[in-house]
Amino acid sequence: MWFRLLGSLLAVILLCTPVFAGDKIIKVGVLYNLTGGMAAIDRPGLHGMELAKEIINSGGGIMGRKLSLVVSDCRSNLDSAAMASEALAGQDDMVAVIGLNDTDYVMAAAPAITAKDIIFITAGATMQNLPYMYGKNFFMTAFGDNMQSRAVAKFAKRRLETSRCFVGTDISNEFTKTLSKYFKRRYRKYGGTVVDEVWYSSGDGKYPLPKGDEKNPDLIFISSIPPDAPKYVTEIRKAGFNQPIVSGDGFDTPGLLGIPQEYAHSIYFATHVALDNPDPQVQEFVDSYERMFGARPESGFAALGYDTVMLLAQAIEKAGVAKPEEVREALSKTAGFKGVTGEFYYPEGIRVPMKSVDIVKYQNGTFSFVEQVSPK
């Protein structure tokens, strides 16, 4: 099927122009923060979607119809996200709206979409309660925070052989609060102890540190959004704490490259795909992305954007019609979808996918694949 092809189709994009049935299009809305603080994770997601669109259209489209992405910038502002979603929901013939990688922005955008019985697929938000909050038309491409927390807690306890953890949590974001909650629960279940816990608010420039007394930890868990990740790591290392630092996919950001080299060591995080994972489908995606944009993908969020478009396209093909209700039914029955971010399915009645989690190490300017954790 066309949705499984990467390099071969991309290679012919500039060599042929497919003929579409009556020049009809299938219109899909896209919401991302393309400017502002959240753009670091959202821009790669849009690029991944654009790559998927080019591959689909160069292969003849969906049921002979051209895929059109109607893109709107949420500008890293919650009010703007709400207004952008209302504008997209008000357009005629909108099959679905997709995108956004942060839970708070999804919560601002989803109500206007799902209220119109239009499908909403968040590419990267990970709070697993979102589908229950917004109903049958809401789907996730990413794993849930419970799944990534379990993976990183298991890795930290068993592979890193730690037992005493310091936890720093950003309390100004739903994602970071949820991630921290599930990490602490899992780390304790695996036999570890949370010796100290502190809280901060994103953007206030204050990052609380371990106390360094008799509770001195052998592991540091930071639950942050991407803009804060390099800043918090730098402050902790400056203070003399050289223990391993672990986190979730909020650390999957090129911003880590800004950490001074002497502090950029022993950093691990869970994410959706390690871009040096030797899996052939991952490497085909990386090569195709680089050919199209002149640079390698900046993070796993690029692959999530790609997979979201391919997932939706497959559901439209299966439905046989580009109408939200039929496509929603096809989406809910997704099984064995082979994406760049892993093979996954939706359990019956659950619109959070069961999929694997990759663990990545960042050290001295290099992101490297460590291991993959099964969802079972």
Side-chain angles (χ1 to χ4, degrees):
M1 295 292 288
W2 52 261
F3 49 78
R4 293 182 181 175
L5 300 179
L6 285 167
S8 59
L9 285 176
L10 187 63
V12 302
I13 286 175
L14 300 178
L15 300 180
C16 64
T17 302
V19 177
F20 298 101
D23 289 328
K24 292 182 178 180
I25 64 171
I26 293 176
K27 187 162 64 172
V28 174
V30 175
L31 291 170
Y32 272 127
N33 292 299
L34 303 177
T35 53
M38 299 304 294
I41 61 170
D42 278 8
R43 274 196 302 260
L46 176 61
H47 287 164
M49 289 187 177
E50 291 171 335
L51 172 60
K53 182 192 75 171
E54 291 298 331
I55 290 174
I56 289 169
N57 288 343
S58 71
I62 304 172
M63 300 182 299
R65 296 167 64 181
K66 184 178 180 180
L67 174 63
S68 175
L69 300 180
V70 182
V71 182
S72 187
D73 180 10
C74 296
R75 300 186 293 175
S76 298
N77 179 278
L78 295 176
D79 290 337
S80 294
M83 288 188 290
S85 66
E86 289 173 3
L88 289 179
Q91 293 194 24
D92 293 334
D93 302 320
M94 189 69 72
V95 178
V97 175
I98 59 179
L100 290 175
N101 292 318
D102 179 78
T103 294
D104 287 281
Y105 289 93
V106 169
M107 292 174 68
I113 306 299
T114 55
K116 292 286 187 70
D117 290 326
I118 298 171
I119 296 164
F120 189 106
I121 309 176
T122 171
T126 50
M127 193 170 81
Q128 68 274 8
N129 293 333
L130 286 169
Y132 305 102
M133 296 168 62
Y134 299 111
K136 65 180 183 179
N137 291 308
F138 189 101
F139 292 80
M140 292 169 56
T141 305
F143 46 59
D145 285 322
N146 55 346
M147 195 173 296
Q148 68 166 324
S149 294
R150 183 187 68 178
V152 76
K154 183 177 181 180
F155 172 80
K157 182 67 180 67
R158 299 179 179 177
R159 281 288 300 274
L160 298 180
E161 298 182 339
T162 66
S163 61
R164 298 165 60 78
C165 183
F166 165 86
V167 176
T169 304
D170 171 13
I171 59 170
S172 63
N173 289 275
E174 289 300 322
F175 154 66
T176 49
K177 290 187 290 186
T178 304
L179 179 70
S180 188
K181 177 179 73 174
Y182 282 103
F183 171 82
K184 289 181 292 183
R185 182 180 300 176
R186 281 292 178 174
Y187 191 70
R188 287 167 176 149
K189 184 174 181 179
Y190 292 133
T193 300
V194 176
V195 297
D196 193 15
E197 182 173 8
V198 296
W199 297 267
Y200 72 100
S201 293
S202 177
D204 66 8
K206 299 177 181 178
Y207 303 103
L209 303 172
K211 294 182 176 64
D213 55 15
E214 70 278 0
K215 293 182 178 180
N216 195 33
D218 55 11
L219 177 73
I220 295 171
F221 178 81
I222 299 176
S223 189
S224 76
I225 60 172
D228 285 321
K231 300 173 185 176
Y232 206 163
V233 170
T234 300
E235 290 303 308
I236 284 176
R237 292 291 192 238
K238 276 184 178 179
F241 294 95
N242 292 308
Q243 298 93 326
I245 293 174
V246 297
S247 190
D249 65 333
F251 267 48
D252 191 355
T253 168
L256 295 189
L257 295 169
I259 299 172
Q261 186 169 349
E262 64 268 30
Y263 304 139
H265 63 84
S266 305
I267 301 168
Y268 303 87
F269 57 88
T271 194
H272 309 275
V273 62
L275 295 171
D276 64 333
N277 186 321
D279 180 275
Q281 188 167 351
V282 175
Q283 292 313 306
E284 286 176 358
F285 166 75
V286 170
D287 291 344
S288 297
Y289 187 101
E290 187 170 12
R291 284 196 294 271
M292 184 167 180
F293 297 105
R296 290 171 60 85
E298 297 90 336
S299 67
F301 292 104
L304 281 174
Y306 178 91
D307 279 356
T308 300
V309 171
M310 290 301 192
L311 173 68
L312 177 61
Q314 176 180 280
I316 295 171
E317 287 272 8
K318 288 184 176 180
V321 60
K323 294 184 178 180
E325 179 59 28
E326 288 84 350
V327 175
R328 183 202 65 78
E329 183 66 20
L331 267 175
S332 69
K333 295 178 180 178
T334 295
F337 174 78
K338 295 183 179 179
V340 177
T341 60
E343 182 173 347
F344 68 80
Y345 68 97
Y346 292 115
E348 185 175 356
I350 299 174
R351 296 175 303 282
V352 183
M354 290 292 291
K355 61 195 302 190
S356 59
V357 179
D358 280 6
I359 302 295
V360 172
K361 180 179 183 179
Y362 177 72
Q363 182 137 335
N364 298 329
T366 300
F367 295 89
S368 56
F369 174 58
V370 178
E371 67 179 30
Q372 189 170 87
V373 181
S374 167
K376 298 180 181 179

